[in-house]
Amino acid sequence: MKLASRVGRIDASGIRRIFDLARSLKDPINLSIGQPDFPVDDTVKNAAIAAISANRNSYTQTQGIPELREMSLAEEKTHTGRTWAADEILVTSGVSGGLFLALMALVDDGDEVLIPDPYFVMYKHLVRLFGGVPVYLDTYATGFVPTPEAIERACTPRTRLLLINSPANPTGRIIPADMLQGIAKVCEKRGITVISDEIYRLFAYGPCPSISSFLPDTVTLVGHSKSYAMTGWRLGYACGPKAVIDAMTKVQQYSFVCAPSVAQYAALAGPQVDHKPNIGAYRDKRDLMVGILSPTFEIAPPDGAFYLWAKVPGGLSGQQFVEKAIANNCLIIPGGVFSERDTHIRICYTVPDAKLRAGAELLVRLATS
Ligand code: PMP
């Protein structure tokens, strides 16, 4: 059978390769899974059950149910100060759905898309799938934060988009407001649209500004997967200028149709949830991990999300160190999965403290033996 050439431009996620390597492990210390370990809050679960019982199981409007759109617009106003119009929001099937539609709507063959490196794995593959060319902005020398100067330098007449993620997977870094303002200036001057993936915005251990406060041509992607711990429910939303939201809605109509109805109704209960205990717990876990690891590993200051980006000491590559860790029943991800370099490892700290401590102590032993 002949496959379409577009699928030949992408390969299976490197994360899956590590999971294959680790399949034989029994009860490993698993520091590789990028999702929360707390359950969906009962209020949200009960809202989902009530929605099913009330027969709210049909298609919704392509744009999403009006109550959720209204709630999300209010959230944007609170978080970014920005007022989007009613037709500048689309409820999506997770941030993945939003990314897919936004890139589908914005990338033409040969368009260059700037991606700060390290990056979330999906970005480069989706850009390639849609015929775009990923252009990586190496951020290793600037604290894993993209700078306006680097963006300016990377621009060509084909540059169309910049894809940022703050707080970031895999580094946990947050792009500070002054940097975002500088980035916004360059993008405005060059006519570059920014896609801002803010899926981890709730897990911020300090101020977490959004570029949409400074740049009109921003498509902001927000997700419920991590904040509500409902990764399997596939919910998020996109806010952006009407033209792009219209285009994304048109594509959603012929692809996803709508985001899952039950998840949409359940998310309406979101504001009743007190997120503070979960955020506090992850802040404590971050501190615990940094405390044990940091004398041995150089760690990018983790401002948010639930990841640590640690440099492998002693000249081993990320892959080599991960193989050593797997041989000792601990699962982490090599930096090369998220980067054009393979000098780091990504550690996810959403596991119980006892396992975290055991994992961190093991990693230190492996790095020093
Ligand atoms: N963006 C980033 C940076 C992520 O880490 C993830 C999930 N790992 C996603 C997007 C996709 O999330 P969703 O479940 O909302 O599709």
Side-chain angles (χ1 to χ4, degrees), residues 34 93-97 99 120 122-123 165 167-169 197 199-200 222-226 231 234-236 307 346:
S93 292
V95 168
S96 308
L99 274 168
F120 172 51
M122 216 177 251
Y123 298 161
N165 175 216
N169 176 7
D197 177 346
I199 191 166
Y200 295 104
V222 178
H224 301 76
S225 281
K226 316 283 172 167
T231 47
R234 314 308 309 131
L235 195 67
Y307 306 108
R346 188 195 75 171

Side-chain angles (χ1 to χ4, degrees), residues 62-362:
T62 299
Q63 303 95 307
I65 59 172
E67 309 91 294
L68 183 60
R69 277 185 276 145
E70 211 169 287
M71 192 180 107
S72 307
L73 288 171
E75 182 183 323
E76 284 315 288
K77 174 89 182 137
T78 309
H79 188 82
T80 69
R82 182 143 179 189
T83 306
W84 295 100
D87 52 7
E88 293 182 314
I89 182 164
L90 171 68
V91 177
T92 59
S93 292
V95 168
S96 308
L99 274 168
F100 190 94
L101 295 172
L103 291 169
M104 182 85 141
L106 290 166
V107 174
D108 260 330
D109 275 351
D111 280 351
E112 292 176 5
V113 179
L114 303 179
I115 301 177
D117 175 346
Y119 43 76
F120 172 51
V121 276
M122 216 177 251
Y123 298 161
K124 70 172 180 186
H125 296 300
L126 285 183
V127 167
R128 285 204 189 116
L129 193 62
F130 296 126
V133 180
V135 173
Y136 304 107
L137 300 171
D138 186 296
T139 61
Y140 285 73
T142 51
F144 303 105
V145 165
T147 64
E149 296 75 26
I151 292 166
E152 182 94 62
R153 271 198 306 276
C155 278
T156 76
R158 294 300 321 237
T159 308
R160 172 83 185 86
L161 282 175
L162 166 68
L163 231 168
I164 56 174
N165 175 216
S166 173
N169 176 7
T171 63
R173 297 309 320 272
I174 288 177
I175 308 175
D178 57 344
M179 202 62 94
L180 287 177
Q181 275 167 309
I183 293 171
K185 244 187 224 152
V186 175
C187 291
E188 192 143 34
K189 187 174 88 183
R190 296 274 190 169
I192 295 171
T193 300
V194 172
I195 297 178
S196 180
D197 177 346
E198 301 183 13
I199 191 166
Y200 295 104
R201 67 154 66 148
L202 192 75
F203 300 99
Y205 311 121
C208 186
S210 167
I211 195 162
S212 82
S213 311
F214 312 117
L215 182 70
D217 272 358
T218 302
V219 180
T220 308
L221 302 178
V222 178
H224 301 76
S225 281
K226 316 283 172 167
S227 28
Y228 294 16
M230 47 156 81
T231 47
W233 290 13
R234 314 308 309 131
L235 195 67
Y237 64 84
C239 284
K242 178 174 161 34
V244 66
I245 294 297
D246 279 352
M248 290 168 66
T249 307
K250 208 158 55 171
V251 181
Q252 171 131 296
Q253 200 171 341
Y254 299 127
S255 53
F256 298 91
V257 180
C258 62
S261 59
V262 171
Q264 293 190 54
Y265 287 107
L268 295 177
Q272 295 166 46
V273 178
D274 180 8
H275 295 286
K276 278 192 219 90
N278 294 329
I279 300 165
Y282 286 159
R283 180 193 283 115
D284 291 348
K285 286 179 192 296
R286 173 198 66 169
D287 293 344
L288 168 73
M289 290 300 273
V290 171
I292 300 173
L293 293 168
S294 65
T296 310
F297 292 87
E298 206 178 291
I299 296 174
D303 313 305
F306 29 66
Y307 306 108
L308 296 179
W309 184 243
K311 185 161 197 277
V312 178
L316 288 187
S317 68
Q319 180 70 28
Q320 287 166 329
F321 189 78
V322 167
E323 281 167 16
K324 248 172 108 171
I326 289 176
N328 285 274
N329 215 34
C330 177
L331 211 50
I332 46 177
I333 309 280
V337 167
F338 306 95
S339 175
E340 301 306 291
R341 303 194 193 189
D342 188 30
T343 50
H344 285 63
I345 49 174
R346 188 195 75 171
I347 300 164
C348 177
Y349 51 80
T350 57
V351 298
D353 285 358
K355 276 226 155 160
L356 262 190
R357 200 170 282 115
E361 284 165 0
L362 171 70

Side-chain angles (χ1 to χ4, degrees), residues 7-19:
V7 290
R9 294 181 213 136
I10 61 177
D11 59 15
S13 160
I15 292 191
R16 296 270 165 271
R17 263 196 303 273
I18 297 301
F19 290 162

